[in-house]
Amino acid sequence: MTGTKTATKRAEVVVTGLGVTAPNGLGTSDYWAATCAGVGGIGPVGRFDASGYPTALAGEVPGFVPEDHLASRLLPQTDHMTRLALVTADWALADAGVRPDEWSDYDLGVVTASSAGGFEFGQRELQALWSKGGRHVSAYQSFAWFYAVNTGQISIRHSMRGPCGVVVSDHAGGLDAVAQARRQVRRGTSRLMLSGGVDGAVCSWGWVAQLASQRLSPDGYRPFDATASGYVPGEGGAFLVLEAAEPARERGARPYGRIAGYGSTFDPRPDGRDREPGLKRAIDLALDDAGITPADVDVVFADAAGVRELDAAEAAAIGAVFGRRGVPVTAPQTMTGRLYAGAAALQVACALLAIRDGIVPPTTGTDPMPEYGLDLVVGEARRRPVRTALVLARGYDGNNSALIVREEV
Amino acid sequence: MAQLTIDDLRRILREAAGDVQDIDLDGDVMDLEFEAIGYDSLALLEAGSRIERAHGITLDDGLITEAATPRDLLTAVNEVLAEADAA
């Protein structure tokens, strides 16, 4: 967030459509109803036999039948998470009242977040390679595994040929992708951007890769709890439709809110102990970008790693900006698990729905340590007006992002 | 060795790359271009490797990508099958 401020006011960028596929709800309305009611979607892994692994819990999207949503031609060439992504994108565009064929191809762009690409597809093809030989590997492996595959497939499906890209920054990716989409709209390189992330690697190969982080919980996801033991991974995520506020209003769109501020930082090197961790700086940058003060923030959607030292660092950053118990904090991802590239995009969707309905959804299944000084919304959802929400997300090994969404007035 | 028929090819294309939407693959597609039917080069590569596996033959990549229509592909594949029989 460098550069001088120009005299011309930069275009406001609003969110005009949402699509959600989450472990506690297929589609925005199911997800939001479950989330407000504190109903979670974490359970024993169903996509493969995980009983022999240290972690056998996951948040899996319920009731998803690809054939109900996608043409047969797409099925042999798509990983499970790409199928989820294509359907989520369809829903986001429909929610925005956008029919892409009525727009110029080059006015529509796609920026998604990704973590590992199509892992389950890749696993199947690698198994074919070593057990049967190269002739048995699908030609579609050439792109189905690839990080940028969701952006590419969405772009092809809807002829969205404006600026397209992919951001790979672990859990922070959902925010970083939305920030990049906002830049494209502000630059005028695209009239409409589809952005966010849908992810998932609930397969044995993906599992082993995730276990290597040592951050997966054997027994449940309890961020900020004294017994926090890591997180539970999940699949799904959200896509958002972003447009400049004026033209969106002119075409009759009804924005959920606007992307008001963003900041992104790296933590200091491990030997840079005299420098503060980067999360607080990311929050400060986002507040500055939005032109607001901490007092304007009605709720914080936490990253909630579920790992003791990471929870402590996040609580410290929130406390340093807002004061002890200075702002309601919530982490509804206790109901979904952490969704990697899909995580933060789903949090932004959740924040926009909180603004729409004046409800802060709860953090479930956790008993926050008083030492953290957080006003964590536990038990039941809290009804209160939400005009401004701050969403935090951290990637593995120290990249931090903060994004602010505000009510559109 | 048995020759590859248009019905074999239809089945292989469906298995390899899914069914197409706007065109009836069971109709008269012999001389339609693959692109018009809805199968791109990757779909054909995937179909080609399935033909190779089913018949124990090797097809040059060029043979697959240069075949514009089902008739082209069947002719080229059946030549390879006939050579394999003669050998």
Side-chain angles (χ1 to χ4, degrees):
Chain A
M1 307 311 299
T2 57
T4 52
K5 286 190 176 155
T6 54
T8 38
K9 195 163 174 282
R10 288 187 294 177
E12 269 185 21
V13 176
V14 294
V15 177
T16 57
L18 297 178
V20 170
T21 44
N24 62 342
L26 181 64
T28 304
S29 57
D30 281 8
Y31 161 74
W32 184 235
T35 299
C36 290
V39 177
I42 290 175
V45 171
R47 291 196 71 77
F48 73 103
D49 179 7
S51 57
Y53 294 82
T55 296
L57 293 170
E60 293 173 299
V61 175
F64 181 69
V65 180
E67 292 80 0
D68 290 352
H69 306 280
L70 299 171
S72 138
R73 188 72 180 75
L74 279 166
L75 299 178
Q77 55 178 285
T78 43
D79 182 79
H80 173 62
M81 66 99 204
T82 298
R83 296 172 181 176
L84 289 171
L86 284 168
V87 173
T88 310
D90 285 359
W91 289 344
L93 290 166
D95 186 44
V98 169
R99 290 191 47 184
D101 55 356
E102 296 171 349
W103 296 55
S104 160
D105 292 5
Y106 294 98
D107 283 339
L108 306 171
V110 186
V111 176
T112 69
S114 171
S115 68
F119 240 71
E120 191 180 87
F121 194 105
Q123 172 178 335
R124 191 178 65 229
E125 299 311 319
L126 286 178
Q127 283 170 331
L129 177 66
W130 56 251
S131 65
K132 297 179 196 161
R135 277 170 199 277
H136 293 262
V137 176
S138 165
Y140 294 114
Q141 167 70 356
S142 56
F143 61 74
W145 73 273
F146 183 46
Y147 301 95
V149 67
N150 290 356
T151 290
Q153 286 282 19
I154 293 165
S155 164
I156 291 165
R157 181 171 176 81
H158 300 291
S159 281
M160 301 173 80
R161 298 205 271 178
C164 287
V166 62
V167 177
V168 179
S169 49
D170 194 26
H171 285 99
L175 302 188
D176 299 335
V178 170
Q180 174 63 6
R182 176 184 181 229
R183 277 183 214 112
Q184 299 288 15
V185 171
R186 281 184 159 174
R187 281 181 196 147
T189 47
S190 186
R191 282 178 59 202
L192 179 150
M193 293 294 295
L194 183 94
S195 188
V198 170
D199 205 357
V202 185
C203 59
S204 56
W205 185 34
W207 220 240
V208 171
Q210 293 169 61
L211 285 165
S213 75
Q214 313 258 324
R215 291 182 181 175
L216 267 56
S217 169
D219 58 4
Y221 182 22
R222 297 179 300 277
F224 304 113
D225 193 295
T227 66
S229 59
Y231 65 85
V232 172
E235 63 180 20
F239 285 126
L240 289 66
V241 173
L242 275 65
E243 302 172 65
E246 276 302 317
R249 259 192 292 270
E250 279 162 21
R251 75 169 183 87
R254 285 178 304 166
Y256 287 89
R258 63 193 151 96
I259 307 298
Y262 167 73
S264 183
T265 61
F266 283 112
D267 282 337
R269 290 159 51 114
D271 57 8
R273 294 189 191 284
D274 53 328
R275 294 174 54 205
E276 67 170 347
L279 185 59
K280 178 182 177 294
R281 284 186 293 124
I283 298 171
D284 290 340
L285 286 168
L287 290 168
D288 187 48
D289 184 31
I292 62 173
T293 68
D296 294 315
V297 174
D298 299 306
V299 60
V300 175
F301 286 79
D303 176 62
V307 175
R308 281 290 285 273
E309 56 272 26
L310 292 170
D311 287 349
E314 183 169 33
I318 293 170
V321 175
F322 296 96
R324 187 176 168 81
R325 298 183 66 87
V327 65
V329 176
T330 193
Q333 64 268 49
T334 49
M335 290 175 257
T336 63
R338 278 163 72 82
L339 311 182
Y340 298 95
L346 184 61
Q347 293 282 77
V348 175
C350 191
L352 289 164
L353 294 165
I355 288 172
R356 183 189 71 184
D357 292 349
I359 298 175
V360 176
T363 311
T364 58
T366 196
D367 181 14
M369 286 171 71
E371 297 92 306
Y372 287 149
L374 292 178
D375 174 16
L376 195 70
V377 178
V378 290
E380 293 197 345
R382 206 178 284 179
R383 283 201 169 271
R384 56 162 296 164
V386 180
R387 298 197 172 84
T388 304
L390 168 68
V391 180
L392 304 180
R394 289 174 292 183
Y396 192 79
D397 264 357
N399 56 315
N400 313 280
S401 292
L403 187 115
I404 292 168
V405 290
R406 303 200 79 185
E407 178 182 51
E408 177 67 358
V409 283
Chain B
M1 198 179 297
Q3 296 277 289
L4 195 71
T5 68
I6 183 69
D7 283 333
D8 295 332
L9 184 59
R10 287 182 175 117
R11 177 180 46 77
I12 288 166
L13 281 168
R14 284 191 171 113
E15 285 168 7
D19 210 345
V20 285
Q21 268 182 316
D22 301 326
I23 290 201
D24 179 12
L25 196 57
D26 293 321
D28 188 8
V29 295
M30 245 340 212
D31 295 304
L32 293 181
E33 299 213 344
F34 281 116
E35 224 172 281
I37 304 173
Y39 292 113
D40 55 19
S41 57
L42 266 180
L44 293 180
L45 279 177
E46 176 62 15
S49 73
R50 283 167 189 258
I51 294 169
E52 289 180 325
R53 269 142 49 189
H55 293 271
I57 53 170
T58 304
L59 302 171
D60 291 340
D61 283 352
L63 181 151
I64 304 288
T65 50
E66 280 159 26
T69 65
R71 188 184 300 279
D72 290 350
L73 186 62
L74 288 173
T75 305
V77 169
N78 284 327
E79 273 173 26
V80 176
L81 286 171
E83 282 166 25
D85 273 350

